[in-house]
Amino acid sequence: MAAVRPWNAFTAVEAEVRAVVTGPRWPELPEPARAHQIASRALVTADGDRWLFAAHARWHLHDPAGGRWHPAPPPRHLPARRVKHAAAALPADLVPRGPDFAAEPGSTQAFVGPDVPDRLCGHIRELLRANCGKSEPEYPLTAFGEIFAADVPSTVAAVWGTIMWCAYAPAFDGNERLLTAFGEFLRRPLPGDEWVRWLPAPPLADLVHLVAERQRAGHPRAALRLTALIADTAQFLLADARFRPRALALLTMTEPALQQPGLDDHLLDDQALRSAWLARCPPRLARALLCDTDPEAHLAHTVYDLLEALAHTPDPARAAAAHLADLSDSRGLLPGRLDHRLRRAYDDLHRAGLTSTSAAERTQPDGFPIRPPALGHATGTGPYAVLGESGDRGRVAAVLGAAYAVGLAWSRVSGARVPERGFAGAAALVRRLIHERDDEPPQNH
């Protein structure tokens, strides 16, 4: 007889809310009725923390100090009781719209450890071979000039920019074949070291600019060709869950212009074309666009992802705060964006003088002790070979990716510089991955 999972208040409420929000009546309910459905299923744990399963199919924690609701994974191991919360007091953006519960889950894993699929890499190489010989005067490099040499056509930049925009966390193995395909076009070595390339995440505006510039110059066919290259690249990226949510969003934004040539020819301004692309993205994919449409919300969701990735650790808030401590915050703006549990853990590190630094002295990230190799059992060679079970590797890659995504999100919000050799906590995790075999790419959750 199969074992019966113990009843859990968080799991039960989550199932109830999902059934209600995805049901046929939800779109017809007025806003106050929707808010009541969510507020009537609030949970409170013994420490007084109040939780709601709400917008974006994610849990939210009430901060008693400021009254804000922060996206935060719940402590599922703790008992909780159901209470009623005042529906009128809920912020409008906390109440699910419906399509947000159908978001593509994707994966937070970085591209360190699990390789990009061979077939995907082959498709990208074919795209480059077919388009790298385009005339530079016809396809001038008007974006990504910090990456590519000046005589590289924008067709190459369109493929690169699509890959980097779609990547949840663009941290790649130093020998990743997806990157080596671009080697001959690079202006200078990519940031990072021989183990990991810590790459910037471009804004959607950079991709839009490649297209809009050609339209302003009176070359609509070249603009359409660049749009097609962006869509073709995104189509191939669907094969990897680390790219899929944003790749889907990008396809919905670009395909109408390919199906109706001339649709965007009158949009000569970058901002106008960007707005047209964003307007075509369906609500169910809206969270994939937060990095461009709402950087503050995107930061909050990447912190949620980091906490989820660290859920197996003894104290996820403390472990997450150790990664947040790597972020540069000279103006002290980060704590006010954290929920009270994370804020307490972060403040402890601040009092110890361990915040706003790259704390290189840390020899092991919280939750992932670096164990010395045992004779005959270590994978990899050399002084940094470590023991590791295959089951751990996916977790490590997920934490690494989520931590790097948080750093990139914080950079967009604050303007803080992203270290060329990565943030200390994420860089430390690399040692659990680089000397072991490469795993299969992650699948959808």
Side-chain angles (χ1 to χ4, degrees):
M1 184 176 178
V4 178
R5 295 179 63 181
W7 184 86
N8 180 277
F10 291 103
T11 303
V13 165
E14 187 171 321
E16 283 184 30
V17 174
R18 282 188 184 276
V20 171
V21 173
T22 60
R25 293 188 61 244
W26 187 258
E28 302 169 2
L29 292 178
E31 288 296 322
R34 291 185 184 184
H36 174 75
Q37 289 285 349
I38 300 302
S40 65
R41 292 174 170 86
L43 291 178
V44 173
T45 48
D47 55 8
D49 282 347
R50 184 164 294 214
W51 302 84
L52 283 175
F53 189 64
H56 296 289
R58 291 195 139 173
W59 284 93
H60 295 72
L61 171 63
H62 186 255
D63 190 334
R68 289 180 55 197
W69 290 89
H70 297 266
R76 295 183 185 273
H77 63 286
L78 295 180
R81 60 186 176 86
R82 192 157 158 172
V83 296
K84 289 187 177 181
H85 188 84
L90 293 188
D93 60 0
L94 198 65
V95 180
R97 299 297 177 189
D100 53 331
F101 267 48
E104 175 74 22
S107 168
T108 71
Q109 285 191 9
F111 302 89
V112 181
D115 272 342
V116 176
D118 290 342
R119 189 174 181 184
L120 195 165
C121 291
H123 286 315
I124 296 300
R125 287 181 178 273
E126 289 174 8
L127 271 185
L128 288 176
R129 279 196 299 269
N131 293 278
C132 67
K134 299 294 184 183
S135 164
E136 189 273 332
E138 185 181 4
Y139 292 94
L141 189 68
T142 56
F144 304 99
E146 73 284 2
I147 301 292
F148 298 110
D151 60 349
V152 171
S154 58
T155 48
V156 172
V159 177
W160 170 273
T162 301
I163 293 171
M164 295 305 147
W165 187 81
C166 291
Y168 174 83
F172 290 82
D173 279 333
N175 63 351
E176 171 57 61
R177 287 177 301 118
L178 189 64
L179 297 189
T180 59
F182 292 89
E184 64 183 288
F185 308 111
L186 297 178
R187 180 179 181 181
R188 59 171 65 94
L190 295 172
D193 52 33
E194 69 271 26
W195 301 118
V196 177
R197 306 298 183 196
W198 304 98
L199 301 178
L204 183 65
D206 284 359
L207 284 174
V208 169
H209 181 72
L210 291 174
V211 177
E213 186 278 333
R214 289 291 78 196
Q215 293 180 171
R216 284 195 297 275
H219 298 285
R221 288 178 63 85
L224 189 63
R225 180 59 194 151
L226 289 170
T227 304
L229 260 179
I230 291 168
D232 287 346
T233 306
Q235 184 69 49
F236 293 138
L237 295 176
L238 295 177
D240 191 314
R242 296 167 289 187
F243 294 113
R244 189 175 297 129
R246 290 183 193 164
L248 278 171
L250 197 53
L251 280 170
T252 65
M253 293 188 282
T254 54
E255 283 187 334
L258 302 177
Q259 294 165 357
Q260 304 176 57
L263 176 65
D264 292 337
D265 286 359
H266 66 291
L267 300 173
L268 307 182
D269 176 72
D270 285 20
Q271 185 58 44
L273 183 59
R274 178 181 177 273
S275 296
W277 281 22
L278 291 173
R280 294 169 188 158
C281 189
R284 66 182 177 84
L285 299 175
R287 201 170 87 203
L289 299 179
L290 288 177
C291 52
D292 286 276
T293 59
D294 192 341
E296 290 277 1
H298 176 59
L299 173 64
H301 281 283
T302 57
V303 171
Y304 189 109
D305 292 338
L306 178 60
L307 285 163
E308 270 198 326
L310 290 163
H312 63 285
T313 63
D315 188 342
R318 180 175 175 271
H323 287 284
L324 295 173
D326 290 333
L327 307 181
S328 176
D329 184 27
S330 59
R331 292 181 290 169
L333 301 176
L334 180 59
R337 291 172 163 85
L338 307 177
D339 67 62
H340 55 286
R341 301 168 312 144
L342 262 180
R343 197 163 57 241
R344 282 196 297 265
Y346 183 89
D347 286 346
D348 288 344
L349 293 173
H350 181 70
R351 284 190 290 270
L354 293 174
T355 57
S356 294
T357 71
S358 195
E361 298 82 10
R362 281 213 305 274
T363 57
Q364 59 187 45
D366 285 356
F368 293 101
I370 305 299
R371 293 168 289 182
L375 187 63
H377 294 284
T379 49
T381 58
Y384 296 104
V386 297
L387 285 176
E389 300 79 16
S390 60
D392 282 346
R393 286 176 53 76
R395 287 178 173 176
V396 177
V399 175
L400 190 156
Y404 189 53
V406 168
L408 293 175
W410 175 243
S411 176
R412 286 197 173 184
V413 168
S414 67
R417 186 180 65 86
V418 177
E420 283 217 349
R421 290 181 174 263
F423 300 97
L429 291 172
V430 173
R431 289 177 292 165
R432 287 294 304 272
L433 299 169
I434 57 177
H435 292 291
E436 301 185 27
R437 64 173 177 80
D438 287 319
D439 287 338
E440 292 295 316
Q443 302 300 313
N444 272 351
H445 300 315

